[in-house]
């Protein structure tokens, strides 16, 4: 899978070179290409924003640099083009599987007060939001979606880990414990050190259902 990220602040994506995602990139399982939108502006001062028509606070990203950047990295519209926006549909686990059906994803990061609507109308397939809150730009949402997608690319994380994490089967994950067996007077549940794998599985399922009922009852009964 290839993920293109278009941004005014490419240095913000350094975390994607670390840990699990960094190793996935180095091994060739995933290709992440970060493009600086400023490289495509026709303004001699590398300016990519201007005052909004009609007045109002802040600045708006101008259409030309974005249009030119997208045309440079995806001239034949091979990628699913996504604009990170609080107006978009809310990102959730089922959307991961949906987006993984595309061989290539392009994520456009807005900044300041937004992006000229014309370039969205001309170049973008859909808008996606992380939730009902506003950030200073689309960089953090783009990183979150990239991380979420890369985890499901074959060989990045074991299938066993993926099958038992939160939201799989519409359940939150069961509690996890490791050594020492007793910490600050709190002991690991006896079933987990019993060696009885069948009972461990039953306990984990029961705990997942209990936690989901308490914290996210809306997940129960939802279609996957």
């Amino acid at each position: 899978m290839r993920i293109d990220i278009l941004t005014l602040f490419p240095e913000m994506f350094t975390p994607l070179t670390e840990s699990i995602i960094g190793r996935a990139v180095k091994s060739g399982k995933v290709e992440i290409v970060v493009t600086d939108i400023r490289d495509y502006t026709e303004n001699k001062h590398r300016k990519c924003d201007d005052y909004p028509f009609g007045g109002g606070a802040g600045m708006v990203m101008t259409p030309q640099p974005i249009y030119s950047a997208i045309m440079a990295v995806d001239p034949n519209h091979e990628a699913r083009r996504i604009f990170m926006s609080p107006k978009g549909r809310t990102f959730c686990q089922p959307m991961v599987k949906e987006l993984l059906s595309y061989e290539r994803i392009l994520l456009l990061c807005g900044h300041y007060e937004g992006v000229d609507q014309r370039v969205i109308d001309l170049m973008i397939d859909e808008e996606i939001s992380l939730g009902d809150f506003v950030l200073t730009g689309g960089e953090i949402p783009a990183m979150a979606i990239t991380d979420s997608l890369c985890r499901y690319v074959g060989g990045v994380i074991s299938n066993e880990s993926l099958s038992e994490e939160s939201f799989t089967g519409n359940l939150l994950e069961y509690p996890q414990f490791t050594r020492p067996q007793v910490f600050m007077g709190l002991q690991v549940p006896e079933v987990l050190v019993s060696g009885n794998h069948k009972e461990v599985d039953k306990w984990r399922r029961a705990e997942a259902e209990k936690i989901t009922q308490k914290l996210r009852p809306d997940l129960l009964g939802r279609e996957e």
Side-chain angles (χ1 to χ4, degrees), residues 169-190:
N170 292 329
L171 292 174
L172 300 181
E173 190 175 15
Y174 49 79
Q176 298 278 12
F177 298 90
T178 187
R179 293 180 177 85
Q181 195 167 332
V182 180
F183 178 72
M184 301 294 287
L186 299 176
Q187 186 161 341
V188 173
E190 191 65 32

Side-chain angles (χ1 to χ4, degrees), residues 131-188:
D132 295 339
F133 54 91
V134 179
L135 299 171
T136 55
E139 284 76 17
I140 291 174
M143 272 190 281
I145 288 178
T146 298
D147 184 287
S148 185
L149 292 176
C150 289
R151 296 177 73 255
Y152 283 85
V153 172
V156 175
I157 292 181
S158 72
N159 290 333
E160 182 181 7
S161 294
L162 294 174
S163 67
E164 296 185 356
E165 61 188 7
S166 288
F167 304 109
T168 301
N170 292 329
L171 292 174
L172 300 181
E173 190 175 15
Y174 49 79
Q176 298 278 12
F177 298 90
T178 187
R179 293 180 177 85
Q181 195 167 332
V182 180
F183 178 72
M184 301 294 287
L186 299 176
Q187 186 161 341
V188 173

